[in-house]
Amino acid sequence: MSPAEPALDTVVYVANAGDGTIGSYRLDRQHEALVPLATIEAAENVMPLAVSPNRRYLYAAIRSDPLRVLSYRIDASTGELTALGSGALYGSMAYIATDRTGRYLLAASYGGNLVSVSPIDANGVAGDATQTLGTGSRAHAIQATPDNHHVIATNLGDDQLAQFYFADGALAPNEPAVAETAAGSGPRHFVFSPSGRFVYVLGEFDATVTTFALDADSGTLSRVGICQGLPESHGLAPGMPREEIPDGDDTPRIWAADLHITPDGRYLYLSERTSSTLSTLRVSPETGELHFVGNQPTVQQPRGFGIDPAGRYLVAAGELSDHLSLYRIESASGGLTHVSDAATGRKTNWVEIVALERP
């Protein structure tokens, strides 16, 4: 760490859906290790997680009855979680995120084909959802645009991204209401470039990443390009919704999961569950163009991973793995160097990494 860098204590939170717990770890940069801190009870099938913009609160969606979101305070010195409250959600949510102010929680339901908005009070507690809005087939991710005036949500089953106006905690369809991805791609997770000019969308069924240009004024997307994120040598068939695969069909299919970008906007990473691999893409920040760099093995069935706020480490979790894997991000190439593992719970599916300022 250079003298110019702020002193950071970085904490990694993971959701263990099989155990109904949330685990926390300290990212020890000196020894390049994840040091276990605590494991707290949440609820059966806890996933996904989200962190408030001010890094003071953690939110966890529960995908078992009763469907709800749990709110936790993050201790600024230790990273310890303190339960604050619970709010009702009217769908099993595949993804949650706060808006850019931290005053609202956005959620997307894959099974319910809907999105919702929940208010977050002054104490950081997400309450009952106040708006639930039907959207396209198999909603899978939702985020506010950088200026917080619009919201984008993926509709995996329709190969579309829904576009919304967002004002006073309410969503309304934008004009046009959707942006199209390539047929059969299955848009799943997406990230904004650090500049806010581009949106990168992962296709669950073809492991492509589609670049869209974001018009900040209108909140609408226009397609710029597509980059393949998985080598053909894996020999995987195109993916499809898991619930539609016929009984007895064990064809290995593309099953891409998560997508994250480094804070400097130079590298993009994606996970693919059937091959249990991570792929690296190089980004041209000025044009949004992507270039495939490489693909490597990782934890078994990597549904979720995260990049630390300094952009130096990546933490991967696998639903069928008993450990987390920590990778060093090589700045010159974007390559991932495996440095250590740490034991985790069952069906670990989500990773959030929070850098806390030391007092």
Side-chain angles (χ1 to χ4, degrees), residues 284-324:
S284 299
E286 290 303 313
T287 64
E289 187 176 4
L290 304 176
H291 301 273
F292 178 81
V293 174
N295 173 263
Q296 66 192 74
T298 187
V299 291
Q300 192 172 1
Q301 200 167 296
R303 182 185 180 113
F305 67 93
I307 295 173
D308 85 290
R312 296 185 178 180
Y313 293 95
L314 182 151
V315 178
E319 289 182 298
L320 300 181
S321 175
D322 62 0
H323 63 272
L324 306 170

Side-chain angles (χ1 to χ4, degrees), residues 200-212:
Y200 302 106
V201 183
L202 177 64
E204 178 174 323
F205 302 150
D206 63 3
T208 60
V209 180
T210 303
T211 302
F212 287 88

Side-chain angles (χ1 to χ4, degrees), residues 147-336:
D147 65 7
N148 214 50
H149 294 158
H150 301 89
V151 163
I152 297 168
T154 52
N155 291 323
L156 181 146
D158 291 335
D159 295 318
Q160 294 177 343
L161 285 84
Q163 303 178 141
F164 298 98
Y165 297 111
F166 183 60
D168 300 321
L171 299 170
N174 202 339
E175 300 175 5
V178 300
E180 305 281 348
T181 63
S185 63
R188 180 181 168 92
H189 287 184
F190 65 96
V191 295
F192 292 92
S193 66
S195 68
R197 295 173 54 202
F198 301 104
V199 176
Y200 302 106
V201 183
L202 177 64
E204 178 174 323
F205 302 150
D206 63 3
T208 60
V209 180
T210 303
T211 302
F212 287 88
L214 172 65
D215 184 313
D217 292 334
S218 67
T220 57
L221 302 172
S222 56
R223 203 189 312 180
V224 173
I226 301 175
C227 181
Q228 181 56 245
L230 198 67
E232 290 186 7
S233 59
H234 282 311
L236 300 179
M240 60 190 299
R242 307 303 285 187
E243 60 272 21
E244 293 183 3
I245 297 176
D247 292 341
D249 182 351
D250 57 359
T251 303
R253 299 180 184 276
I254 295 173
W255 197 19
D258 206 3
L259 183 76
H260 292 283
I261 193 168
T262 53
D264 62 8
R266 295 171 58 210
Y267 300 108
L268 193 67
Y269 300 90
L270 65 93
S271 63
E272 199 286 318
R273 287 170 282 186
T274 299
S275 61
S276 292
T277 59
L278 293 168
S279 289
T280 303
L281 306 181
R282 185 173 69 254
V283 183
S284 299
E286 290 303 313
T287 64
E289 187 176 4
L290 304 176
H291 301 273
F292 178 81
V293 174
N295 173 263
Q296 66 192 74
T298 187
V299 291
Q300 192 172 1
Q301 200 167 296
R303 182 185 180 113
F305 67 93
I307 295 173
D308 85 290
R312 296 185 178 180
Y313 293 95
L314 182 151
V315 178
E319 289 182 298
L320 300 181
S321 175
D322 62 0
H323 63 272
L324 306 170
S325 283
L326 177 65
Y327 298 86
R328 183 192 317 122
I329 297 174
E330 306 298 344
S331 177
S333 66
L336 299 175

Side-chain angles (χ1 to χ4, degrees), residues 7 12 17-18 32 73-74 78 99 102 104 111 121 170 177 180 193 201 234 239 265 268 296-297 330 337 345 358:
V12 178
E32 296 190 315
R73 178 183 298 112
I74 299 173
T78 66
D99 78 325
Y104 299 97
D121 68 19
E180 305 281 348
S193 66
V201 183
H234 282 311
L268 193 67
Q296 66 192 74
E330 306 298 344
T337 300
R358 287 177 180 159

Side-chain angles (χ1 to χ4, degrees), residues 57-60 68-72 84-89 96 98 102-106 117-129:
Y57 305 102
L58 178 78
Y59 302 98
R68 62 203 187 278
V69 58
L70 306 180
S71 302
Y72 297 90
L84 297 177
S86 174
L89 292 172
I96 59 172
T98 71
R103 295 173 54 207
Y104 299 97
L105 184 84
L106 308 171
V117 183
S118 303
I120 297 174
D121 68 19
N123 297 314
V125 179
D128 297 349

